Amino acid sequence: MDGWQTQVVAASTTEVSAPWQLTVLLPAYNEQDAIRQVLAEIVEALSDEPLRYEILVVDDGSTDRTPELAEEFARSCWQCPVRVVRCLENRGAGAARKVGIRQARGDVVVMLDADGSYPAAAIPDLMRHFPGYDQVNGARTSEQGTLPWIRGPAKWLIRKLACYLTGHKIPDLNTGLKAFKRETMLDWLWVEPVGFSCVTTMTLAFLTNGYAVKYVPVDYRPRIGKSKFHPVKDTLSYLGTVLRMVLYFRPLKVFLPLAGLVIAAGVLKSVLSFLFTGSMQESDIVILVAGFMTCMFGLLAEVIVAHHRR
């Protein structure tokens, strides 16, 4: 189904005959210290809401007791159906989310991290914006992650780049608290990477394709347990995701400014060549041609993207 094996290993017996409105998706990898608390918070947050919902835990090949603890909670939960899906090998946060989205039953999927950093109490606030919006994100009001002196500036620079390339104001580019229409997201799973930058890709896929996206401020808490964030590798992955997504959907945003810079450099060098030698040099022509070729590549990429949207 997703290129690797999965198992539904536990589910509560609570069933609802009417269509599901919401699936709360909880991807988890080695979160034994937080998983039960997060599941309990979700049930508590939605206990008074007039929603038909389920909880879906996708264990990404954990080596600790995360799946067993989730199964125990599933068997004891009477308020809502709880399913636990095991991926038989660790493939990454994005891979677990893709499995969960495909197996979700709800019209809307809400994702949050299983480390306790996002408050489940914010889920009803996100749900109130459907069906008017296609995606609603929880924008964190503070940075509580590890190495904030590295993560903060890097995230700010990448977010500003994403704002320019997409033409939208993005308060939080890589929030892990995200609600979206499942059927819409299914169309864009092909662009989802298997690693940490998957939530960034989900945001950019919706923004660059004209879907309605909203941000709701949410509190952010220190995670429970040890962070799996790699400051260099994951930061470069975020940056690569932004550039890759814009090349997929808004290529002229990259190629046109680049072509303009190369052409401007070629014109400037040609003027200097005339002033000092009285004629253009071969290098001037090479630079100008490179600039025009870059522009042509951008136009061709834009035509291909427009054709694909049809």
Side-chain angles (χ1 to χ4, degrees):
M1 177 176 56
D2 294 285
W4 63 95
Q5 291 180 303
T6 59
Q7 290 181 322
V8 179
V9 295
S12 61
T13 57
T14 307
E15 294 292 340
V16 179
S17 58
W20 301 101
Q21 293 174 292
L22 170 65
T23 294
V24 181
L25 172 58
L26 201 63
Y29 175 64
N30 288 347
E31 300 290 358
Q32 65 178 8
D33 296 333
I35 187 68
R36 289 186 64 89
Q37 174 182 321
V38 174
L39 287 168
E41 287 182 0
I42 293 170
V43 172
E44 181 181 359
L46 295 174
S47 59
D48 295 328
E49 296 295 318
L51 291 170
R52 296 180 298 276
Y53 73 98
E54 65 166 350
I55 300 175
L56 176 60
V57 179
V58 179
D59 177 71
D60 188 28
S62 293
T63 57
D64 63 4
R65 297 189 64 239
T66 298
E68 288 80 11
L69 293 174
E71 292 163 24
E72 290 176 7
F73 186 92
R75 286 189 288 267
S76 63
C77 182
W78 56 268
Q79 294 94 331
C80 69
V82 180
R83 291 186 291 149
V84 181
V85 176
R86 285 199 187 192
C87 298
L88 303 185
E89 58 182 282
N90 176 244
R91 293 292 299 271
R97 284 172 168 84
K98 291 169 76 170
V99 170
I101 292 168
R102 288 193 173 103
Q103 296 208 15
R105 298 167 178 166
D107 296 327
V108 174
V109 176
V110 173
M111 297 190 316
L112 70 160
D113 295 342
D115 57 13
S117 55
Y118 292 95
I123 295 176
D125 292 335
L126 270 59
M127 290 299 296
R128 291 187 183 100
H129 298 284
F130 290 95
Y133 286 88
D134 299 298
Q135 184 181 113
V136 182
N137 298 294
R140 293 167 289 186
T141 56
S142 64
E143 175 60 67
Q144 298 290 339
T146 57
L147 302 174
W149 55 277
I150 295 178
R151 297 175 70 156
K155 286 182 177 181
W156 183 85
L157 287 172
I158 295 172
R159 181 169 57 83
K160 289 299 182 182
L161 174 62
C163 290
Y164 160 71
L165 293 174
T166 61
H168 293 272
K169 182 179 180 181
I170 306 175
D172 192 345
L173 180 60
N174 62 321
T175 174
L177 178 58
K178 187 181 298 289
F180 49 83
K181 295 177 181 177
R182 177 178 176 272
E183 289 300 318
T184 303
M185 182 60 75
L186 286 174
D187 292 336
W188 303 107
L189 285 185
W190 63 273
V191 301
E192 285 297 306
V194 297
F196 273 103
S197 57
C198 57
V199 292
T200 303
T201 304
M202 290 178 178
T203 299
L204 294 175
F206 275 56
L207 286 175
T208 54
N209 285 282
Y211 294 104
V213 177
K214 184 176 180 61
Y215 294 88
V216 176
V218 297
D219 294 330
Y220 190 56
R221 307 176 295 198
R223 65 164 287 129
I224 300 171
K226 185 179 179 181
S227 174
K228 305 171 186 69
F229 179 82
H230 190 284
V232 177
K233 182 179 70 174
D234 292 326
T235 297
L236 292 176
S237 178
Y238 287 139
L239 177 60
T241 294
V242 173
L243 295 174
R244 176 172 55 87
M245 291 298 294
V246 174
L247 286 174
Y248 275 152
F249 302 118
R250 299 274 181 87
L252 278 182
K253 283 278 191 175
V254 175
F255 282 104
L256 206 57
L258 181 60
L261 287 174
V262 175
I263 292 172
V267 171
L268 178 61
K269 190 174 185 305
S270 299
V271 171
L272 293 175
S273 296
F274 269 111
L275 290 176
F276 288 101
T277 66
S279 64
M280 290 183 66
Q281 304 298 306
E282 292 181 357
S283 58
D284 303 335
I285 298 174
V286 170
I287 295 174
L288 288 170
V289 170
F292 284 112
M293 289 296 293
T294 302
C295 183
M296 291 300 103
F297 278 129
L299 291 172
L300 178 61
E302 191 74 16
V303 170
I304 293 172
V305 168
H307 179 74
H308 178 75
R309 286 199 182 107
R310 293 176 58 191

